[in-house]
Amino acid sequence: MRRNGLRILVIIPVYGRSSLPTGAFITTAEYVSGLVAAGHSVDVVTTIKEPGEVYREGGVRVWPLRQWRRAVQASAPELVISHHGDRKAPRIIARLGRTHHLLMVHGLADDTDLGRPALVWFPSAGCRAHYPAYRGRALVLPPPIDPARYRTTPGTLVTLNGSTTAKGADVLAQVAEQMPDTPFLMVRAAGHTPGLLPPNVEVMDRSDPRSVYARTRILLMPSTTESYGRAGVEAMLSGIPVLAAPLPGIREALGQAATYIPREDTTRWVAELRRLQDPATYAQVAQRCRAHAEGLDYPANLRRFEVECRSLGATGARPAPALRR
């Protein structure tokens, strides 16, 4: 008779205490927490930022890459979960025989070959559409976003969560130059130094998300590419208005609650920011944003992902074979 929980191995670049992770890694960590809470046994192998030794965090055993063979032997996984684009994961997965594989696709990658996993997770239909050649089983499910992690009292700054052109740093610089009396905040992308910025733009290192939103009055998302608008949802949980480029993934995440502006139309970005300087207008938009974010079902997203993982186990998953060195 089969026990209730699966043995699951997650292969992910970073996990937990080893970094201040980006949205993709936070999303996976949230799903992992849901799997542990549902009674599954989860081990994680990190492929970039390696802890010195094995450690436990939140019921998960975390292994550095150099110990991946020990991780496989100790966990005997019936399901393996990895990220598309992680170049170190495939060589481990290739050694796992017929163990079921769930591939998580967090972005719109140039490499559109997803291989033949048992299941592919996408954060939005827009992201799924980017991979038309994939014909296998797919799960389109929004990232789980825990309100308790993000809710705060909004601050006073106009914020961009990223310092690259892909996140809209060029648009923020142009807008800030036209609004010298408005304070702006740019959160530095990992390993990236932004170019010359107007003096009214403060740059801060990546930090706890709540501390960023506690300084934020309005969030800008003039991105060139997004598979989902996670940062917008996070901000809206605190009633922070979001101005965003009209990308499919962002529209799926933010619906009618955001204000959409073509990223190259700097005049419109400035006009909308000035419109939100009116307290009554700001309050109305903030309420709309808060209502939208509160309508998203965080526990249901965790449950749906867990059900899909459990269903893979019910289709005859075979534990990973013993490995030879």
Side-chain angles (χ1 to χ4, degrees), residues 6 25 27 68 85 116 121 128 139 149 157 274 288 322:
L6 292 172
F25 306 135
T27 292
W68 72 264
R116 300 180 64 183
W121 170 90
R128 172 68 183 92
L139 171 64
R149 184 185 179 110
L157 306 179
R274 287 181 172 149
R288 185 174 71 215

Side-chain angles (χ1 to χ4, degrees), residues 207-264:
S207 182
D208 176 73
R210 188 187 288 111
S211 68
V212 174
Y213 298 124
R215 303 188 65 195
T216 299
R217 184 173 186 270
I218 300 169
L219 183 74
L220 303 185
M221 297 187 69
S223 307
T224 61
T225 178
E226 293 282 357
S227 59
Y228 187 76
R230 182 185 176 104
V233 175
E234 294 171 0
M236 285 184 176
L237 285 164
S238 297
I240 296 172
V242 178
L243 309 183
L247 301 177
I250 292 180
R251 284 189 176 275
E252 284 186 56
L254 308 183
Q256 299 301 311
T259 299
Y260 298 103
I261 309 168
R263 79 180 304 275
E264 69 278 1

